[in-house]
Amino acid sequence: QVQLEESGGGLVQAGGSLRLSCAASERTFSNYAMGWFRQAPGKVREFVGAINWSGSRTIFADSVKGRFTIPRDNAKNTVYLQMNSLKPEDSAVYYCAAGDLATPFKVIYWGQGTQVTVSS
């Protein structure tokens, strides 16, 4: 069982940046691809991006491509979501997930989520 804990959410102005962190409880973290999802009020949870276990491959939703990156540090059992040029429509609860880098991303474990609010 891998437990995931997100942190780093908060309030930011449009055009700003924010970095979310997702810390895993197990060393087996490096065995998994890691994904980020988000869910805005009244909307379904949507895929944001993901990175493979080694960090050599990333994929992103079109809505965030070129603005978001996903660094990971297997030595620290941590993956990040670096969000730049934020827009009000990026406001949502962001969840990290461990799983398989398939299409669609196959989630095995979820984090509890962290709120991101982008003001206009």
Side-chain angles (χ1 to χ4, degrees):
Q1 181 81 11
V2 176
Q3 294 183 335
L4 304 172
E5 183 172 0
E6 301 95 334
S7 61
L11 175 65
V12 63
Q13 288 188 332
S17 297
L18 203 61
R19 188 177 80 161
L20 306 182
S21 299
C22 174
S25 61
E26 299 291 331
R27 292 182 180 272
T28 53
F29 164 82
S30 62
N31 293 343
Y32 296 97
M34 297 298 296
W36 286 94
F37 293 75
R38 67 187 181 186
Q39 187 168 17
K43 296 189 176 181
V44 298
R45 191 171 299 187
E46 65 174 358
F47 174 78
V48 173
I51 186 168
N52 69 344
W53 69 273
S54 68
S56 63
R57 183 186 172 206
T58 54
I59 54 175
F60 293 95
D62 287 344
S63 58
V64 305
K65 201 171 294 183
R67 300 188 296 123
F68 291 11
T69 61
I70 304 179
R72 72 182 290 166
D73 187 340
N74 287 343
K76 296 182 178 180
N77 291 352
T78 302
V79 66
Y80 306 92
L81 180 65
Q82 178 66 45
M83 303 183 290
N84 300 323
S85 302
L86 282 162
K87 306 175 182 180
E89 51 263 42
D90 293 318
S91 297
V93 177
Y94 282 72
Y95 299 88
C96 72
D100 294 329
L101 192 63
T103 303
F105 186 90
K106 181 181 177 183
V107 176
I108 301 174
Y109 302 106
W110 284 107
Q112 85 288 351
T114 186
Q115 176 71 48
V116 172
T117 303
V118 184
S119 64
S120 57

